[in-house]
Amino acid sequence: STFAGLTTPVRMHHLILMLPGAFFSYAIAVAIFGSPRTIMIPIQLITLLCFAGFAVAGAWKSERNERATWTQGHQLEEKEHELEHTMGLATGMQAIASRLCDLVFQV
């Protein structure tokens, strides 16, 4: 489950659904087939839950960073569009001013 959490490009809410599946599949396999070290079963389940927690924490942090990067990129695109619009207005006003100044100086 940890490997799936670190390598599978899924959103956080999908990962939370995948992890209980891994936990319960292990618990069912131990219940059906048994374990050579039955004393270690609680420790193995706790370790599996810890790894699942690490996978969820890593996926949450990764998704948070991806969303922040996307938001910054989107804001940058909006600013670039606004700057291009402002530059177009400035260029147009400069062209009008240059025509008017030539007309005023001729009079």
Side-chain angles (χ1 to χ4, degrees):
S1 72
T2 303
F3 181 74
L6 296 176
T7 59
T8 308
V10 296
R11 292 288 182 211
M12 177 74 182
H13 59 279
H14 294 300
L15 183 64
I16 290 175
L17 297 175
M18 287 174 53
L19 294 176
F23 176 77
F24 287 119
S25 66
Y26 174 76
I28 291 170
V30 167
I32 292 174
F33 301 114
S35 176
R37 297 183 183 202
T38 56
I39 272 182
M40 299 292 288
I41 291 174
I43 294 172
Q44 291 171 348
L45 289 175
I46 291 170
T47 303
L48 184 62
L49 285 175
C50 288
F51 285 146
F54 292 145
V56 168
W60 175 73
K61 183 178 178 183
S62 175
E63 185 172 343
R64 184 185 63 189
N65 289 339
E66 287 179 21
R67 286 178 185 266
T69 302
W70 180 85
T71 302
Q72 289 173 353
H74 187 65
Q75 289 173 348
L76 182 62
E77 288 176 4
E78 287 179 357
K79 293 293 181 184
E80 286 177 350
H81 179 69
E82 186 178 314
L83 184 61
E84 288 174 0
H85 179 70
T86 304
M87 283 181 59
L89 286 174
T91 303
M93 293 188 71
Q94 183 181 11
I96 290 172
S98 67
R99 296 279 183 183
L100 286 176
C101 287
D102 290 343
L103 186 67
V104 169
F105 284 128
Q106 287 178 1
V107 173

